[in-house]
């Protein structure tokens, strides 16, 4: 395992000792969901989450087998893709997994080199380097498989001046709900099967040159009933963070097992999106019908000043207001963070979103895990899946 480095400073290049920069990643390029009905999903993400109409590809642009809607908010680009015919790998994906994340696309300087280097290190190819062109220039994309049927696509766009990708046209709509203040993707979490976490930790180290900079075992992440383990992987410059979870033995079924049962594979569990005003963003999301996990008990909020410790005076937010919105608070040596989790965004209890505001803290809300998982277990109990 690569050496863990404490006191990381995100945004600085090569912050992690042991990170190999054969694969410099500039950031998340887009996240593509395969869904059963992209038109309706796009409406949901616009209306409920404040994403903006951005680009479109489908029958009108010459595609025969699929339709994709691209939505944007801050730096976040979501692509919602659906199959037009039954004989389609997209349809097969949706049949098996339900709606879910197919592609985590990573913005790179050189897609061919990213593909060659990762395949040489053991990645399973998904798409050979492919050049796509239009009047705005060219984009090179190449893809490799990660856990389950999930894919990392490398996107090289240094010779491209268009808004998204060749083949897409601008999507203009008369219906434009306002954004809710979501800025960028903070991290994306993968759920993998029993005893698979370390396999994928090693894969991210060996194939992608990532480092494992935080680990939580089942002694830290457990409730009375269930447990899980998690390791956080980061690329060299800290811009891409992928925690990886696996289930652990408990008295009852953990949320990770529930996910694996319903996604029928390893896959993306949640997308954490950053805001710099969580009270405003969450108030707006709730008003638009986004469902969040119910709040933890009163005792949780009573303990917040103690949990904040030395950062207590730094906190500007009113605890009563946070409680009213069921926002959670955690602190580490460097500051505090505010976070909240949606209920699953589809009928299968699989993918959900986290809204996060970091006030110096670099962690993932470990102090909230117990309260959070107890909330999830109450939901699981209602579904009969605990
Ligand atoms: Fe998270």
């Amino acid at each position: 395992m690569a050496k863990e480095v404490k006191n990381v400073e995100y945004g600085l290049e090569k912050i992690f000792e042991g990170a190999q920069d054969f694969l410099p990643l500039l950031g998340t390029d887009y996240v593509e969901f395969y869904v059963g009905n992209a038109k309706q999903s796009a409406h949901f993400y616009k209306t409920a989450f404040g994403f903006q109409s951005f680009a479109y590809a489908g029958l009108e642009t010459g595609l025969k087998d699929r339709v994709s809607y691209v939505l944007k908010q801050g730096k976040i680009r979501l692509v919602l893709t659906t199959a037009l015919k039954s004989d389609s790998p997209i349809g097969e994906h949706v049949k098996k997994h339900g709606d879910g994340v197919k592609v985590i696309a990573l913005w790179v300087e050189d897609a061919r080199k990213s593909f060659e280097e990762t395949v040489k290190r053991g990645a399973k190819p998904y798409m050979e380097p492919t050049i796509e062109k239009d009047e705005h220039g060219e984009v090179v994309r190449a893809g490799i498989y990660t856990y389950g049927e999930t894919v990392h696509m490398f996107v090289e766009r240094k010779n491209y001046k268009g808004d998204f990708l060749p083949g897409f046209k601008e999507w203009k709509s008369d219906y434009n709900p306002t954004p809710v203040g979501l800025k960028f993707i903070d991290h994306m979490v993968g759920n993998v099967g029993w005893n698979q976490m370390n396999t994928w930790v090693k894969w991210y180290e060996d194939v992608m040159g990532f480092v494992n900079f935080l680990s939580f075992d089942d002694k830290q992440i457990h409730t009375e009933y269930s447990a899980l383990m998690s390791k956080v992987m980061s690329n060299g410059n800290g811009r891409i963070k992928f925690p990886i979870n696996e289930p652990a033995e408990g008295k009852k079924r953990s949320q990770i097992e529930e996910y694996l049962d319903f996604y029928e594979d390893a896959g993306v569990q949640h997308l954490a999106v950053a805001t710099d005003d969580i009270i405003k963003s969450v108030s707006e999301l709730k008003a638009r019908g986004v469902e969040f996990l119910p709040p933890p008990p009163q005792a949780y909020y009573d303990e917040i000043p103690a949990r904040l410790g030395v950062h207590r005076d730094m906190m500007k937010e009113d605890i009563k207001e946070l409680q009213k919105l069921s926002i959670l608070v955690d602190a580490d040596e460097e500051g505090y963070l505010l976070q909240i989790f949606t209920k699953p965004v589809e009928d299968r209890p699989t993918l959900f979103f986290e809204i996060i505001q970091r006030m110096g803290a670099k962690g993932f809300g470990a102090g909230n895990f117990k309260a959070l998982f107890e909330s999830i277990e109450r939901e699981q109990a209602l579904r009969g899946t605990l």
Side-chain angles (χ1 to χ4, degrees):
M1 187 203 285
K3 189 179 170 190
E4 285 182 29
V5 177
K6 303 288 180 199
N7 300 322
V8 297
E9 287 294 332
Y10 295 135
L12 299 178
E13 300 300 314
K14 295 182 185 174
I15 50 168
F16 292 114
E17 210 176 306
Q20 303 162 46
D21 251 345
F22 61 84
L23 184 63
L25 301 175
L26 306 173
T28 308
D29 197 284
Y30 64 86
V31 181
E32 182 170 20
F33 295 57
Y34 280 179
V35 299
N37 186 333
K39 186 174 209 160
Q40 290 187 2
S41 292
H43 188 72
F44 171 77
Y45 284 107
K46 283 171 70 170
T47 304
F49 280 85
F51 281 91
Q52 306 294 298
S53 305
F54 188 59
Y56 171 85
L59 290 169
E60 298 83 347
T61 64
L63 291 182
K64 302 281 184 242
D65 64 335
R66 65 174 72 190
V67 171
S68 293
Y69 295 81
V70 187
L71 300 110
K72 192 166 187 270
Q73 185 167 188
K75 290 182 178 168
I76 312 162
R77 284 193 290 228
L78 299 185
V79 182
L80 305 168
T81 297
T82 206
L84 288 172
K85 294 282 179 68
S86 61
D87 177 20
S88 157
I90 300 160
E92 289 300 320
H93 197 277
V94 173
K95 182 184 173 194
K96 183 169 168 69
H97 307 296
D99 288 5
V101 172
K102 175 64 181 177
V103 178
I104 297 172
L106 303 166
W107 177 29
V108 297
E109 204 38 45
D110 186 336
R112 292 178 190 84
K113 184 163 174 278
S114 303
F115 181 81
E116 278 164 24
E117 292 287 337
T118 50
V119 169
K120 193 170 83 189
R121 287 166 167 81
K124 182 181 161 196
Y126 170 74
M127 187 175 99
E128 295 280 328
T130 304
I131 301 169
E132 296 156 300
K133 292 182 183 180
D134 67 9
E135 69 272 26
H136 304 295
E138 66 172 49
V139 170
V140 188
R141 289 194 300 159
I144 57 169
Y145 279 99
T146 174
Y147 46 77
E149 289 196 280
T150 316
V151 164
H152 286 316
M153 195 75 91
F154 301 117
V155 184
E156 173 191 325
R157 46 174 74 255
K158 60 177 181 278
N159 297 316
Y160 192 65
K161 293 194 166 44
D163 284 333
F164 185 55
L165 291 174
F168 283 79
K169 65 170 191 177
E170 186 184 0
W171 172 21
K172 280 197 175 139
S173 172
D174 294 332
Y175 177 66
N176 301 299
T178 53
V180 300
L182 306 181
K183 303 276 184 196
F184 59 88
I185 294 177
D186 184 275
H187 60 275
M188 276 172 276
V189 180
N191 282 343
V192 300
W194 288 94
N195 305 313
Q196 290 295 302
M197 178 180 68
N198 285 327
T199 304
W200 287 102
V201 164
K202 192 167 176 352
W203 187 90
Y204 276 101
E205 287 170 349
D206 293 349
V207 173
M208 302 281 282
F210 280 39
V211 291
N212 169 216
F213 81 106
L214 274 177
S215 301
F216 306 100
D217 65 22
D218 49 343
K219 287 172 196 68
Q220 291 160 285
I221 317 183
H222 70 96
T223 65
E224 190 188 342
Y225 298 120
S226 68
L228 64 90
M229 293 192 275
S230 187
K231 288 189 174 175
V232 184
M233 305 306 293
S234 173
N235 79 317
N237 62 24
R239 290 182 197 175
I240 309 290
K241 291 181 287 295
F242 294 145
I244 299 168
N245 298 333
E246 73 174 14
E249 291 291 350
K251 280 189 214 160
K252 294 193 177 183
R253 202 153 64 135
S254 84
Q255 50 163 314
I256 311 301
E257 287 173 87
E258 186 195 37
Y259 176 100
L260 296 169
D261 284 352
F262 282 92
Y263 200 69
E264 298 191 13
D265 207 345
V268 173
Q269 179 208 39
H270 74 269
L271 266 65
V273 292
T275 171
D276 31 16
D277 188 345
I278 197 167
I279 289 179
K280 205 168 152 199
S281 295
V282 171
S283 302
E284 194 59 42
L285 290 162
K286 286 198 170 179
R288 295 171 185 216
V290 175
E291 295 178 320
F292 291 92
L293 289 176
Q298 179 63 40
Y300 172 90
Y301 287 95
D302 294 341
E303 287 159 11
I304 285 179
R307 183 176 300 141
L308 282 167
V310 293
H311 308 301
R312 193 185 307 184
D313 297 335
M314 184 182 153
M315 193 166 102
K316 297 177 205 74
E317 295 78 11
D318 176 18
I319 293 178
K320 287 223 161 21
E321 198 164 7
L322 296 174
Q323 183 172 12
K324 205 173 77 194
L325 293 167
S326 22
I327 294 168
L328 308 177
V329 186
D330 194 27
D332 61 20
E333 303 89 57
E334 294 162 89
Y336 69 99
L337 63 81
L338 304 163
Q339 62 185 170
I340 187 169
F341 299 83
T342 72
K343 291 186 180 181
V345 289
E346 61 281 292
D347 292 299
R348 295 196 199 194
T350 52
L351 181 75
F352 59 89
F353 281 75
E354 171 184 352
I355 315 296
I356 184 166
Q357 180 181 354
R358 292 188 183 278
M359 301 299 287
K362 305 290 197 308
F364 293 83
N368 288 327
F369 286 166
K370 194 163 189 288
L372 168 66
F373 299 151
E374 283 169 352
S375 290
I376 293 176
E377 281 171 6
R378 287 193 286 274
E379 297 288 303
Q380 278 182 263
L382 293 173
R383 294 193 281 261
T385 59
L386 182 60

